[in-house]
Amino acid sequence: MPTPPTPYDDVPNFIVDRFDDHSKEELREIATYAETLDGSLDVPDYVVQAFAIQNEETRTVVAIYANELASYLEELEELEDEAEDDEEDDDRYPGRMGGAFFG
């Protein structure tokens, strides 16, 4: 099981708390915004407002944390997909093991 990333000390707590509500795609978009401040990107208002008062160093660590969190979510998703695939493989041959017990 992958370990969730630890936010850097410079990442404001309210941002850490709010990132739990975002998908990996949204987190990647936030990371890109933190690096570029590109107003054409679709990011939540709280991110725009928060970054307006943060210095470049803080925005950089927020971008790193957002990317790390998105990667973590991707790893979890891959593990879930693998687990589902394993379950599907087991369901394809129902009763196969029963032959060893019931002759």
Side-chain angles (χ1 to χ4, degrees):
M1 184 65 77
T3 305
T6 303
Y8 299 86
D9 292 338
D10 292 346
V11 178
N13 288 334
F14 77 93
I15 289 179
V16 172
D17 294 339
R18 298 285 299 266
F19 276 8
D20 290 339
D21 299 332
H22 295 291
S23 69
K24 64 182 186 293
E25 293 83 10
E26 292 168 326
L27 289 167
R28 296 255 189 242
E29 189 107 345
I30 290 169
T32 301
Y33 180 77
E35 295 167 348
T36 64
L37 296 180
D38 180 356
S40 68
L41 296 172
D42 186 27
V43 295
D45 288 338
Y46 82 91
V47 171
V48 174
Q49 293 167 358
F51 289 168
I53 59 173
Q54 303 298 326
N55 62 29
E56 185 176 342
E57 182 178 327
T58 301
R59 288 192 311 266
T60 299
V61 295
V62 169
I64 292 168
Y65 177 63
N67 274 319
E68 289 175 349
L69 191 55
S71 295
Y72 167 74
L73 293 175
E74 286 174 351
E75 289 178 40
L76 284 180
E77 190 176 276
E78 288 171 8
L79 288 174
E80 289 173 4
D81 289 347
E82 289 173 12
E84 287 176 9
D85 289 345
D86 289 345
E87 287 176 13
E88 288 175 9
D89 289 344
D90 292 343
D91 291 343
R92 286 188 296 181
Y93 305 107
R96 189 168 183 189
M97 289 298 291
F101 296 109
F102 300 109

